Amino acid sequence: MVDAVVGIRANLEVRDVAASMDFYRRTLGMEAVTTMGTPPTFAIVVAGSASLGLVEAEAPAVAGVVAVYVDVTDVAAALARCQQAGAEITMELTTHPWGMRDFVMRDPDGHQVAIGSPSPG
């Protein structure tokens, strides 16, 4: 067991890095802190201490399961923001027996992203 791990960043393959940067800005408020290329072929977007890598790929590999889980402080507000941004919601807001409340959206390349927080009481 490594005791120095302080975070993990997922990297997603996307067809259009600039379009994905815009999607994650509109849905989750993530801003680019690093980009490479013009137009960008790689970016890291962040919100608070969370980050996500976006890597250009002609044919993005898309997992059949949720590829990224995003922890938020207010899942209902996050859902409202994602809906307002036009994100496709693939699983409605659900409270799970293991104490999490979340929903799933699909990004423009088909990646499924779960967004949630601990359920109250």
Side-chain angles (χ1 to χ4, degrees):
M1 172 92 162
V2 177
D3 63 14
V5 175
V6 295
I8 296 175
R9 182 186 75 233
N11 293 315
L12 297 178
E13 292 181 341
V14 300
R15 284 187 277 291
D16 183 332
V17 171
S20 291
M21 289 167 46
D22 179 61
F23 176 81
Y24 285 102
R25 180 189 52 75
R26 290 183 296 106
T27 57
L28 297 174
M30 301 184 89
E31 296 293 338
V33 294
T34 300
T35 60
M36 293 172 45
T38 306
T41 57
F42 174 80
I44 296 176
V45 294
V46 301
S49 62
S51 64
L52 177 65
L54 305 170
V55 183
E56 184 181 273
E58 188 174 312
V62 176
V65 297
V66 168
V68 177
Y69 196 98
V70 178
D71 292 299
V72 297
T73 56
D74 185 339
V75 69
L79 175 58
R81 180 179 180 143
C82 290
Q83 289 172 322
Q84 183 177 13
E88 176 189 358
I89 306 303
T90 61
M91 185 187 85
E92 294 300 320
L93 189 58
T94 303
T95 301
H96 300 284
W98 53 86
M100 292 299 290
R101 188 166 187 238
D102 55 30
F103 67 94
V104 178
M105 72 173 176
R106 188 181 320 274
D107 83 357
D109 290 285
H111 299 290
Q112 294 200 68
V113 178
I115 300 161
S117 60
S119 59

